[in-house]
Amino acid sequence: MKVLKNSLIVSFILALTLTSCDKGGDPNPGGTNTQKFAGDWHVIALEPDGATPAFGGDYVLFSSYNAASNDENFWLDDHDNWMEIKSKVQATDFSNLLFSGQPNEAELYAGGTVTVTNGKILKNAAHSFGGHVVDSLYFEAEFDWDPGTVYKFAGHRRTGFIEDEL
């Protein structure tokens, strides 16, 4: 009886280890429509002159990521830092990586609106803080809390290397 019990236990364990959890299907689910726009970025907000940091600010971490709709929409998000911008924008030219937002699009952190224009990602057009060649990000934004003033946002892709962190 003891041998039968042990044999059943060993057989059960062996059956569990040999059974795969794979349910089949495509192991590569693919990407999203706006995956070329997605990433983390070190971005600085500049005054309209394009040179002076807005309100004396410095670089902050931004993210751009796809919207749930998986169409031309994606999010620009500064994680509630500095200029408080989280707004949906649209890819206007997928091959040249151009984007803009709708006029007076909802801005989710401050509860106001923002108009994003002239957005672009330039491949290998910038250098990280550590000197690595990376993509560049640029866009302009006009907020409802400062109508008529168009701030310029410029930055580069985050690499994740220690020497490139703020």
Side-chain angles (χ1 to χ4, degrees), residues 4-160:
L4 180 61
K5 182 178 175 183
N6 287 340
S7 295
L8 285 174
I9 291 173
V10 169
S11 297
F12 180 70
I13 291 172
L14 185 61
L16 284 177
T17 59
L18 296 177
T19 304
S20 172
C21 294
D22 184 32
K23 294 182 180 181
D26 186 0
N28 181 4
T32 65
N33 286 341
T34 56
Q35 68 186 12
K36 291 181 179 179
F37 293 88
D40 288 329
W41 309 87
H42 293 290
V43 176
I44 189 167
L46 303 168
E47 294 288 343
D49 66 9
T52 308
F55 306 106
D58 203 352
Y59 284 88
V60 297
L61 185 64
F62 264 69
S63 295
S64 53
Y65 48 89
N66 70 296
S69 55
N70 195 25
D71 51 15
E72 74 279 358
N73 294 294
F74 64 97
W75 291 95
L76 282 179
D77 185 352
D78 79 347
H79 307 284
D80 204 15
N81 285 310
W82 198 237
M83 296 293 276
E84 296 180 324
I85 179 172
K86 181 177 182 180
S87 185
K88 197 179 289 186
V89 295
Q90 294 79 41
T92 57
D93 184 336
F94 281 89
S95 34
N96 291 312
L97 300 176
L98 303 178
F99 63 91
S100 65
Q102 295 297 319
N104 300 309
E105 181 71 31
E107 190 295 303
L108 300 182
Y109 289 129
T113 63
V114 62
T115 301
V116 173
T117 57
N118 299 319
K120 58 186 162 189
I121 296 172
L122 300 172
K123 301 301 275 180
N124 300 319
H127 288 89
S128 67
F129 298 128
H132 303 279
V133 175
V134 293
D135 298 343
S136 167
L137 175 76
Y138 176 85
F139 65 92
E140 297 172 357
E142 180 180 357
F143 297 87
D144 66 337
W145 49 262
D146 194 1
T149 303
V150 179
Y151 295 94
K152 298 177 185 326
F153 290 78
H156 61 271
R157 188 177 294 276
R158 180 182 186 206
T159 65

